[in-house]
Amino acid sequence: MAEAKILWVDDEIELLKPHILFLKGKGYEVESCNNGFDAVEMARSTHYDLIILDPPAFAKHRDAVKNALRGYQRLNAKGIQSIRPGGILFTFSCSQAIDKDMFRLAVFSAAAQVGRKVRILHQLHQPADHPINIYHPEGEYLKGLVLQVE
């Protein structure tokens, strides 16, 4: 069996080098980049078994929501399109102006756009050390989905 191919996109990819080296040491082929635009280019010619999309905040205020949702949709469409059938996609948002329903809709729209079915395996949210103040709901800014792409 061929080794699994992983694409890891994170705006702080340098901090993740130990994890990447660990995966490579276990026999995985790992490609990484620190922005979504490079990831889109990398994914044009390769199909991956696992993709991790963790871009920077696309919307830091309400005025940026429309463009941010287009960005999440575009990035996730390319990720979904570039994964092998049965592959796993981890996708995240840390934009406080994008709530979890908006993010899910952008990701599901991306799947529909490229004609692939996705199943939610797990929904992720911020850990206990990032509490949410009831008077500041935007504090619930970390969100993620683990998807299986058919």
Side-chain angles (χ1 to χ4, degrees):
M1 179 172 142
E3 62 188 30
K5 289 188 79 154
I6 299 170
L7 174 59
W8 196 332
V9 183
D10 194 297
D11 62 320
E12 297 179 348
I13 201 70
E14 292 300 315
L15 299 175
L16 300 169
K17 278 195 175 188
H19 304 291
I20 292 169
L21 291 172
F22 172 81
L23 289 168
K24 286 181 176 182
K26 294 292 183 183
Y28 296 100
E29 183 180 336
V30 182
E31 295 180 5
S32 62
C33 66
N34 65 355
N35 73 68
F37 299 108
D38 289 346
V40 168
E41 290 303 313
M42 291 171 73
R44 278 191 205 280
S45 61
T46 305
H47 281 68
Y48 297 92
D49 300 292
L50 173 72
I51 296 177
I52 303 166
L53 300 175
D54 191 9
F58 285 173
K60 295 184 181 189
H61 49 79
R62 290 275 170 213
D63 294 341
V65 167
K66 187 176 180 180
N67 286 337
L69 290 173
R70 274 188 283 209
Y72 285 121
Q73 185 174 351
R74 182 172 173 236
L75 181 60
N76 280 282
K78 199 59 187 166
I80 291 167
Q81 192 174 33
S82 301
I83 205 159
R84 290 189 176 113
I88 304 295
L89 174 71
F90 285 76
T91 184
F92 300 94
S93 168
C94 62
S95 295
Q96 69 176 5
I98 304 293
D99 68 30
K100 60 185 171 187
D101 292 328
M102 288 185 218
F103 180 63
R104 282 173 58 138
L105 182 60
V107 174
F108 297 159
S109 295
Q113 176 185 337
V114 297
R116 304 278 305 266
K117 292 181 181 179
V118 297
R119 293 183 332 170
I120 297 174
L121 299 179
H122 193 63
Q123 298 180 69
L124 304 162
H125 50 84
Q126 58 204 60
D129 66 343
H130 283 72
I132 302 158
N133 184 318
I134 62 170
Y135 300 111
H136 182 67
E138 296 84 5
E140 187 175 9
Y141 64 98
L142 297 173
K143 60 203 81 63
L145 296 168
V146 181
L147 305 170
Q148 182 175 37
V149 181
E150 297 179 8

Coordinates of all heavy atoms in Angstrom, one line a residue, residues 1-74:
M1 N 0.8 -1.2 0.0 CA 0.0 0.0 0.0 C 0.9 1.2 0.0 O 1.9 1.3 0.7 CB -0.9 0.0 1.3 CG -1.8 1.2 1.4 SD -2.9 0.9 2.8 CE -3.0 2.6 3.4
A2 N 0.5 2.2 -0.8 CA 1.3 3.5 -0.9 C 1.1 4.3 0.4 O 0.1 4.2 1.0 CB 0.9 4.3 -2.1
E3 N 2.1 5.1 0.7 CA 2.0 5.9 1.9 C 0.9 7.0 1.7 O 0.7 7.4 0.6 CB 3.3 6.5 2.2 CG 3.9 7.5 1.2 CD 5.3 7.9 1.5 OE1 6.1 7.2 2.1 OE2 5.6 9.0 1.1
A4 N 0.3 7.3 2.8 CA -0.8 8.3 2.7 C -0.2 9.7 2.4 O 0.9 10.1 3.0 CB -1.5 8.4 4.0
K5 N -0.9 10.5 1.6 CA -0.4 11.9 1.3 C -1.2 12.9 2.1 O -2.5 12.8 2.1 CB -0.6 12.2 -0.2 CG 0.4 11.4 -1.0 CD 0.3 11.9 -2.4 CE 1.1 13.2 -2.5 NZ 1.7 13.5 -3.8
I6 N -0.5 13.8 2.8 CA -1.2 14.7 3.7 C -0.8 16.1 3.2 O 0.4 16.4 2.9 CB -0.7 14.6 5.2 CG1 -1.1 13.2 5.7 CG2 -1.3 15.7 6.0 CD1 -0.5 12.8 7.0
L7 N -1.8 17.0 3.2 CA -1.6 18.4 2.9 C -2.0 19.2 4.2 O -3.1 19.1 4.6 CB -2.4 19.0 1.7 CG -2.3 20.5 1.5 CD1 -0.9 20.9 1.2 CD2 -3.2 20.9 0.3
W8 N -1.0 19.9 4.8 CA -1.3 20.7 6.0 C -1.1 22.2 5.7 O 0.0 22.6 5.4 CB -0.4 20.2 7.1 CG -0.8 20.6 8.5 CD1 -1.5 21.7 8.9 CD2 -0.4 19.9 9.7 NE1 -1.6 21.7 10.3 CE2 -1.0 20.6 10.8 CE3 0.3 18.8 10.0 CZ2 -0.8 20.2 12.1 CZ3 0.5 18.4 11.3 CH2 -0.1 19.1 12.3
V9 N -2.2 22.9 5.8 CA -2.2 24.4 5.5 C -2.5 25.1 6.9 O -3.6 24.9 7.5 CB -3.3 24.7 4.5 CG1 -3.2 26.2 4.2 CG2 -3.1 23.9 3.2
D10 N -1.6 25.9 7.3 CA -1.7 26.6 8.6 C -0.9 27.9 8.5 O 0.2 27.9 8.0 CB -1.2 25.7 9.7 CG -1.7 26.2 11.1 OD1 -1.2 27.4 11.4 OD2 -2.4 25.5 11.8
D11 N -1.5 29.0 9.0 CA -0.8 30.2 8.9 C 0.4 30.3 9.9 O 1.2 31.1 9.8 CB -1.7 31.4 9.2 CG -2.4 31.4 10.5 OD1 -2.7 30.3 11.0 OD2 -2.5 32.5 11.1
E12 N 0.5 29.3 10.7 CA 1.6 29.2 11.7 C 2.4 27.9 11.5 O 2.7 27.2 12.4 CB 1.2 29.4 13.1 CG 0.6 30.8 13.3 CD 0.1 31.0 14.8 OE1 0.0 30.0 15.5 OE2 -0.2 32.1 15.1
I13 N 2.6 27.5 10.2 CA 3.1 26.2 9.9 C 4.5 25.9 10.5 O 4.8 24.8 10.9 CB 3.1 25.9 8.4 CG1 3.2 24.4 8.1 CG2 4.2 26.7 7.7 CD1 1.9 23.7 8.4
E14 N 5.3 27.0 10.7 CA 6.6 26.8 11.3 C 6.5 26.3 12.7 O 7.4 25.5 13.1 CB 7.3 28.2 11.3 CG 7.7 28.7 9.9 CD 8.7 27.7 9.2 OE1 9.6 27.2 9.8 OE2 8.4 27.4 8.0
L15 N 5.5 26.6 13.4 CA 5.3 26.1 14.8 C 4.9 24.6 14.8 O 5.0 24.0 15.9 CB 4.2 26.9 15.5 CG 4.5 28.4 15.7 CD1 3.3 29.1 16.3 CD2 5.7 28.6 16.5
L16 N 4.5 24.1 13.7 CA 4.0 22.7 13.6 C 5.1 21.8 13.1 O 4.8 20.6 12.9 CB 2.7 22.7 12.8 CG 1.6 23.5 13.3 CD1 0.5 23.6 12.3 CD2 1.1 22.9 14.6
K17 N 6.3 22.2 12.9 CA 7.3 21.4 12.3 C 7.5 20.1 13.1 O 7.7 19.0 12.5 CB 8.6 22.1 12.2 CG 8.7 23.0 11.0 CD 10.1 23.4 10.7 CE 10.0 24.1 9.3 NZ 11.3 24.5 8.8
P18 N 7.5 20.1 14.4 CA 7.7 18.8 15.2 C 6.6 17.8 14.8 O 6.8 16.6 14.7 CB 7.6 19.2 16.6 CG 7.9 20.6 16.7 CD 7.4 21.2 15.4
H19 N 5.3 18.3 14.6 CA 4.3 17.4 14.2 C 4.5 16.8 12.8 O 4.2 15.6 12.6 CB 2.9 18.1 14.3 CG 2.6 18.7 15.6 ND1 2.4 17.9 16.8 CD2 2.6 20.0 16.0 CE1 2.2 18.7 17.8 NE2 2.3 20.0 17.4
I20 N 4.9 17.7 11.9 CA 5.2 17.2 10.6 C 6.3 16.2 10.5 O 6.2 15.2 9.8 CB 5.4 18.5 9.7 CG1 4.1 19.3 9.5 CG2 6.0 18.0 8.3 CD1 4.3 20.7 8.9
L21 N 7.4 16.5 11.3 CA 8.5 15.5 11.3 C 8.0 14.2 11.9 O 8.5 13.1 11.4 CB 9.6 16.1 12.1 CG 10.3 17.3 11.5 CD1 11.4 17.9 12.4 CD2 11.0 16.9 10.2
F22 N 7.2 14.2 12.9 CA 6.7 13.0 13.5 C 5.9 12.2 12.4 O 6.1 11.0 12.3 CB 5.7 13.3 14.7 CG 5.0 12.2 15.2 CD1 5.6 11.3 16.1 CD2 3.7 11.9 14.9 CE1 5.0 10.2 16.6 CE2 3.0 10.8 15.4 CZ 3.7 9.9 16.2
L23 N 5.0 12.9 11.7 CA 4.2 12.2 10.7 C 5.1 11.6 9.6 O 4.9 10.5 9.2 CB 3.2 13.1 10.1 CG 2.0 13.5 11.0 CD1 1.2 14.6 10.4 CD2 1.1 12.3 11.3
K24 N 6.1 12.4 9.2 CA 7.1 11.9 8.2 C 7.8 10.7 8.7 O 8.1 9.7 8.0 CB 8.0 13.0 7.8 CG 7.4 14.0 6.9 CD 8.4 15.1 6.4 CE 7.7 16.0 5.4 NZ 8.6 17.1 5.0
G25 N 8.2 10.7 10.0 CA 8.9 9.6 10.6 C 8.0 8.3 10.7 O 8.6 7.2 10.7
K26 N 6.7 8.5 10.7 CA 5.8 7.4 10.7 C 5.5 6.9 9.2 O 4.7 6.0 9.1 CB 4.5 7.7 11.4 CG 4.7 8.0 12.9 CD 5.0 6.7 13.6 CE 5.1 6.9 15.1 NZ 5.6 5.8 15.8
G27 N 6.1 7.5 8.2 CA 5.9 7.0 6.9 C 4.9 7.8 6.0 O 4.7 7.4 4.9
Y28 N 4.4 8.9 6.6 CA 3.4 9.7 5.8 C 4.2 10.7 4.9 O 5.2 11.2 5.3 CB 2.5 10.4 6.7 CG 1.6 9.5 7.5 CD1 1.9 9.2 8.8 CD2 0.5 8.9 6.9 CE1 1.1 8.4 9.6 CE2 -0.4 8.1 7.7 CZ 0.0 7.8 9.0 OH -0.8 7.0 9.7
E29 N 3.7 10.9 3.7 CA 4.2 12.0 2.9 C 3.4 13.3 3.2 O 2.2 13.3 3.1 CB 4.0 11.6 1.4 CG 4.6 12.7 0.5 CD 4.4 12.3 -1.0 OE1 4.2 11.1 -1.3 OE2 4.4 13.2 -1.8
V30 N 4.1 14.3 3.8 CA 3.5 15.5 4.2 C 4.0 16.7 3.4 O 5.2 16.9 3.3 CB 3.7 15.7 5.7 CG1 3.0 17.0 6.2 CG2 3.3 14.5 6.6
E31 N 3.0 17.4 2.8 CA 3.3 18.7 2.2 C 2.7 19.8 3.0 O 1.6 19.6 3.6 CB 2.8 18.7 0.8 CG 3.5 17.7 -0.1 CD 2.9 17.7 -1.6 OE1 2.1 18.6 -1.9 OE2 3.4 16.9 -2.3
S32 N 3.3 20.9 3.2 CA 2.8 22.0 4.0 C 2.9 23.3 3.3 O 3.8 23.5 2.5 CB 3.4 22.0 5.4 OG 4.8 22.2 5.3
C33 N 2.1 24.2 3.7 CA 2.2 25.6 3.3 C 1.5 26.5 4.3 O 0.7 26.0 5.1 CB 1.7 25.8 1.9 SG 0.0 25.6 1.7
N34 N 1.8 27.8 4.2 CA 1.3 28.7 5.3 C 0.1 29.6 4.8 O -0.3 30.5 5.5 CB 2.4 29.5 5.9 CG 3.0 30.5 5.0 OD1 2.7 30.5 3.8 ND2 3.9 31.3 5.5
N35 N -0.4 29.4 3.6 CA -1.5 30.2 3.2 C -2.4 29.4 2.2 O -1.9 28.5 1.4 CB -1.1 31.5 2.6 CG -0.5 31.5 1.3 OD1 -1.1 31.2 0.3 ND2 0.8 31.8 1.2
G36 N -3.6 29.7 2.2 CA -4.6 29.0 1.3 C -4.4 29.2 -0.2 O -4.7 28.3 -0.9
F37 N -3.8 30.3 -0.6 CA -3.6 30.5 -2.0 C -2.5 29.5 -2.5 O -2.7 28.9 -3.6 CB -3.2 31.9 -2.3 CG -4.3 32.9 -1.9 CD1 -4.1 33.7 -0.8 CD2 -5.5 33.0 -2.6 CE1 -5.1 34.6 -0.4 CE2 -6.5 33.9 -2.3 CZ -6.3 34.7 -1.2
D38 N -1.5 29.3 -1.7 CA -0.5 28.3 -2.1 C -1.1 26.9 -2.1 O -0.7 26.1 -2.9 CB 0.7 28.4 -1.2 CG 1.6 29.7 -1.4 OD1 1.4 30.3 -2.4 OD2 2.4 30.0 -0.5
A39 N -1.9 26.7 -1.1 CA -2.5 25.4 -1.0 C -3.4 25.0 -2.3 O -3.4 23.9 -2.8 CB -3.4 25.3 0.2
V40 N -4.1 26.1 -2.7 CA -4.9 25.9 -3.9 C -4.0 25.5 -5.1 O -4.3 24.5 -5.9 CB -5.7 27.1 -4.3 CG1 -6.3 27.1 -5.6 CG2 -6.8 27.3 -3.2
E41 N -2.9 26.1 -5.2 CA -2.0 25.8 -6.3 C -1.4 24.4 -6.2 O -1.3 23.6 -7.1 CB -0.8 26.8 -6.4 CG -1.3 28.2 -6.9 CD -2.0 28.1 -8.3 OE1 -1.4 27.5 -9.2 OE2 -3.0 28.7 -8.4
M42 N -1.0 24.0 -4.9 CA -0.4 22.7 -4.6 C -1.4 21.6 -4.9 O -1.1 20.5 -5.4 CB 0.0 22.6 -3.2 CG 1.2 23.5 -2.9 SD 1.5 23.5 -1.1 CE 2.2 21.9 -0.8
A43 N -2.7 21.9 -4.7 CA -3.7 20.9 -4.8 C -4.2 20.7 -6.2 O -5.0 19.8 -6.5 CB -4.9 21.2 -3.9
R44 N -3.8 21.5 -7.1 CA -4.2 21.4 -8.5 C -3.8 20.1 -9.2 O -4.5 19.5 -10.0 CB -3.6 22.5 -9.4 CG -4.3 23.8 -9.3 CD -3.8 24.8 -10.3 NE -4.1 26.1 -9.9 CZ -5.2 26.7 -10.1 NH1 -6.3 26.1 -10.6 NH2 -5.4 28.0 -9.7
S45 N -2.6 19.6 -8.8 CA -2.1 18.4 -9.5 C -2.0 17.2 -8.6 O -1.5 16.1 -9.1 CB -0.7 18.7 -10.1 OG 0.1 19.1 -9.0
T46 N -2.4 17.2 -7.4 CA -2.2 16.1 -6.4 C -3.5 15.8 -5.7 O -4.3 16.7 -5.4 CB -1.1 16.5 -5.4 OG1 0.1 16.9 -6.1 CG2 -0.8 15.3 -4.5
H47 N -3.7 14.6 -5.4 CA -4.9 14.2 -4.6 C -4.3 13.6 -3.3 O -3.4 12.8 -3.3 CB -5.7 13.1 -5.3 CG -6.6 13.8 -6.3 ND1 -6.1 14.3 -7.5 CD2 -8.0 13.9 -6.3 CE1 -7.2 14.8 -8.2 NE2 -8.3 14.6 -7.5
Y48 N -4.9 14.1 -2.2 CA -4.4 13.8 -0.9 C -5.4 12.8 -0.1 O -6.6 12.8 -0.5 CB -4.2 15.0 0.0 CG -3.2 16.0 -0.6 CD1 -3.6 17.0 -1.5 CD2 -1.9 15.8 -0.3 CE1 -2.6 17.8 -2.1 CE2 -0.9 16.7 -0.8 CZ -1.3 17.7 -1.7 OH -0.4 18.5 -2.2
D49 N -4.9 12.1 0.9 CA -5.7 11.3 1.7 C -6.2 12.0 2.9 O -7.3 11.7 3.4 CB -4.9 10.1 2.2 CG -4.3 9.2 1.1 OD1 -5.2 8.6 0.4 OD2 -3.1 9.2 0.8
L50 N -5.5 13.1 3.3 CA -5.8 13.9 4.5 C -5.4 15.3 4.2 O -4.3 15.6 3.7 CB -5.1 13.4 5.7 CG -5.2 14.2 7.0 CD1 -6.6 14.1 7.6 CD2 -4.2 13.8 8.0
I51 N -6.3 16.3 4.4 CA -6.0 17.7 4.3 C -6.4 18.4 5.6 O -7.5 18.1 6.1 CB -6.7 18.3 3.1 CG1 -6.2 17.6 1.8 CG2 -6.5 19.8 3.0 CD1 -7.0 18.1 0.5
I52 N -5.5 19.2 6.0 CA -5.8 20.1 7.2 C -5.8 21.5 6.8 O -4.7 22.0 6.3 CB -4.8 19.8 8.3 CG1 -4.7 18.3 8.7 CG2 -5.1 20.7 9.6 CD1 -3.5 17.9 9.5
L53 N -6.9 22.2 6.9 CA -7.0 23.6 6.5 C -7.2 24.4 7.7 O -8.3 24.4 8.3 CB -8.2 23.8 5.5 CG -8.2 23.0 4.2 CD1 -9.5 23.3 3.4 CD2 -7.0 23.5 3.4
D54 N -6.2 25.2 8.1 CA -6.3 26.1 9.3 C -5.8 27.5 8.9 O -4.7 27.9 9.3 CB -5.6 25.5 10.4 CG -5.8 26.2 11.7 OD1 -6.7 27.0 11.8 OD2 -5.1 25.9 12.7
P55 N -6.6 28.2 8.1 CA -6.1 29.5 7.7 C -6.3 30.6 8.8 O -6.9 30.3 9.8 CB -7.1 29.9 6.5 CG -8.4 29.2 6.9 CD -7.9 27.9 7.6
P56 N -5.7 31.7 8.5 CA -5.9 32.8 9.5 C -7.3 33.3 9.5 O -8.1 32.9 8.6 CB -4.9 33.9 9.0 CG -4.8 33.6 7.6 CD -4.9 32.2 7.4
A57 N -7.7 34.2 10.4 CA -9.0 34.7 10.4 C -9.3 35.5 9.1 O -8.6 36.4 8.8 CB -9.2 35.7 11.6
F58 N -10.3 35.1 8.4 CA -10.7 35.8 7.2 C -11.6 37.0 7.5 O -11.7 37.9 6.6 CB -11.5 34.8 6.2 CG -10.6 33.8 5.5 CD1 -11.2 32.8 4.7 CD2 -9.2 33.8 5.6 CE1 -10.4 31.9 4.1 CE2 -8.4 32.9 4.9 CZ -9.1 31.9 4.2
A59 N -12.3 37.0 8.6 CA -13.2 38.1 9.0 C -12.9 38.5 10.4 O -13.3 37.8 11.3 CB -14.6 37.7 8.8
K60 N -12.3 39.6 10.6 CA -12.0 40.2 12.0 C -13.1 41.1 12.4 O -13.2 41.6 13.5 CB -10.7 40.8 12.0 CG -9.6 39.8 11.8 CD -8.2 40.3 12.0 CE -7.2 39.2 11.7 NZ -5.9 39.5 12.1
H61 N -14.0 41.5 11.5 CA -15.1 42.4 11.8 C -16.3 42.1 10.8 O -16.1 41.4 9.8 CB -14.7 43.9 11.7 CG -14.0 44.2 10.4 ND1 -14.6 44.4 9.2 CD2 -12.7 44.3 10.2 CE1 -13.8 44.7 8.3 NE2 -12.6 44.7 8.9
R62 N -17.5 42.6 11.1 CA -18.7 42.3 10.4 C -18.7 42.7 8.9 O -19.3 42.1 8.1 CB -19.9 42.9 11.1 CG -20.3 42.3 12.4 CD -21.2 41.1 12.1 NE -21.3 40.3 13.4 CZ -21.5 39.0 13.4 NH1 -21.5 38.3 12.3 NH2 -21.6 38.4 14.6
D63 N -17.9 43.8 8.6 CA -17.9 44.3 7.3 C -17.2 43.3 6.3 O -17.3 43.3 5.1 CB -17.1 45.6 7.2 CG -17.9 46.7 7.9 OD1 -19.1 46.6 8.1 OD2 -17.2 47.7 8.3
A64 N -16.4 42.3 6.9 CA -15.6 41.4 6.1 C -16.3 40.0 5.9 O -15.8 39.2 5.2 CB -14.3 41.2 6.7
V65 N -17.5 39.9 6.5 CA -18.2 38.6 6.5 C -18.4 38.0 5.1 O -18.1 36.9 4.8 CB -19.5 38.6 7.3 CG1 -20.3 37.4 7.0 CG2 -19.2 38.7 8.8
K66 N -19.0 38.8 4.2 CA -19.3 38.3 2.8 C -18.1 37.8 2.1 O -18.1 36.7 1.6 CB -20.0 39.5 2.0 CG -20.5 39.0 0.7 CD -21.2 40.2 0.0 CE -21.8 39.8 -1.3 NZ -22.5 40.9 -2.0
N67 N -17.0 38.6 2.1 CA -15.7 38.2 1.5 C -15.1 37.0 2.2 O -14.6 36.1 1.5 CB -14.7 39.3 1.4 CG -15.1 40.3 0.4 OD1 -15.8 40.1 -0.6 ND2 -14.6 41.6 0.6
A68 N -15.2 36.9 3.5 CA -14.7 35.8 4.2 C -15.4 34.5 3.9 O -14.7 33.5 3.7 CB -14.8 36.1 5.7
L69 N -16.7 34.5 3.8 CA -17.5 33.3 3.5 C -17.1 32.9 2.1 O -17.0 31.6 1.8 CB -19.0 33.6 3.6 CG -19.5 33.8 5.0 CD1 -20.9 34.2 5.0 CD2 -19.3 32.5 5.8
R70 N -16.9 33.8 1.1 CA -16.4 33.4 -0.2 C -15.0 32.7 -0.1 O -14.7 31.7 -0.8 CB -16.4 34.6 -1.1 CG -17.7 34.8 -1.8 CD -17.6 35.9 -2.8 NE -17.5 37.1 -2.1 CZ -17.9 38.3 -2.5 NH1 -18.3 38.4 -3.7 NH2 -17.8 39.3 -1.7
G71 N -14.2 33.3 0.7 CA -12.8 32.7 0.9 C -12.9 31.3 1.5 O -12.2 30.4 1.0
Y72 N -13.7 31.1 2.5 CA -13.8 29.8 3.1 C -14.4 28.8 2.1 O -14.0 27.6 2.0 CB -14.7 29.8 4.4 CG -14.0 30.4 5.6 CD1 -14.5 31.5 6.2 CD2 -12.9 29.8 6.1 CE1 -13.9 32.0 7.3 CE2 -12.2 30.3 7.2 CZ -12.7 31.4 7.8 OH -12.1 32.0 8.9
Q73 N -15.4 29.3 1.3 CA -16.0 28.4 0.3 C -15.0 28.0 -0.7 O -14.8 26.8 -1.1 CB -17.2 29.0 -0.3 CG -17.9 28.1 -1.2 CD -19.2 28.7 -1.8 OE1 -19.7 29.7 -1.3 NE2 -19.8 28.0 -2.7
R74 N -14.2 29.0 -1.2 CA -13.2 28.7 -2.3 C -12.1 27.7 -1.8 O -11.7 26.8 -2.4 CB -12.6 30.0 -2.7 CG -11.6 29.9 -3.8 CD -11.2 31.2 -4.4 NE -10.1 31.0 -5.3 CZ -8.9 31.6 -5.2 NH1 -8.7 32.4 -4.2 NH2 -8.0 31.4 -6.1

